[in-house]
Amino acid sequence: MSILFLLLSLGVIWIIRSFLPVNGLAFVDSGILEGVSEVTKTMKILDVRDAVDYRQSHFPGSINISLGRLPFVWNKELSPDEPVLILSDSRRKSMRAARILKNNGFLELYAIRKVYCPISIFQT
């Protein structure tokens, strides 16, 4: 019975944590991606979708590191000194990616406010 209670408690904590805000993460409008702006030139654009989705449609110049690989390979393409814009197909995944990066020393993190539609914004 105590094992069941422990597992239930851990599940509740995990659910609550997945919806809590991430310190240092700012949500921005998708309009930031339209055209070439100074903002997109100065930051790394990280697409955390799966490789299949990325290949179908993506923002030019973005880096694809799927969420499952991010904890292990972020340091090959990203530096904690650079600002990072996170692209994802859900707000929850953006927040999860931001937590991973925040735990690795990233201070300047951004994510698209609404779930993006790759067909309308991204090009192949």
Side-chain angles (χ1 to χ4, degrees):
M1 187 69 163
S2 63
I3 293 174
L4 180 61
F5 179 74
L6 177 65
L7 291 175
L8 185 60
S9 299
L10 289 174
V12 168
I13 291 169
W14 179 80
I15 289 171
I16 291 171
R17 186 171 183 253
S18 68
F19 290 103
L20 289 176
V22 179
N23 289 334
L25 174 63
F27 283 91
V28 295
D29 291 324
S30 61
I32 196 171
L33 296 173
E34 294 173 4
V36 178
S37 69
E38 287 301 316
V39 176
T40 57
K41 285 182 184 177
T42 60
M43 66 175 52
K44 293 281 187 161
I45 301 174
L46 172 65
D47 191 327
V48 295
R49 296 178 300 154
D50 291 332
V52 173
D53 296 330
Y54 179 82
R55 272 182 258 149
Q56 287 178 349
S57 178
H58 64 272
F59 185 78
S62 62
I63 301 163
N64 179 237
I65 304 175
S66 64
L67 197 52
R69 292 179 43 232
L70 188 60
F72 308 104
V73 299
W74 66 265
N75 55 352
K76 291 182 181 178
E77 298 282 344
L78 305 172
S79 170
D81 300 331
E82 298 172 312
V84 177
L85 174 64
I86 301 168
L87 304 178
S88 175
D89 51 6
S90 76
R91 181 180 175 98
R92 193 168 143 243
K93 287 181 182 179
S94 294
M95 291 175 62
R96 192 166 158 211
R99 271 194 189 85
I100 292 168
L101 295 175
K102 182 76 173 171
N103 289 337
N104 285 290
F106 286 79
L107 300 175
E108 202 171 345
L109 297 169
Y110 303 91
I112 299 299
R113 179 169 285 127
K114 293 184 180 182
V115 174
Y116 68 76
C117 177
I119 294 170
S120 63
I121 294 177
F122 300 103
Q123 304 169 10
T124 55

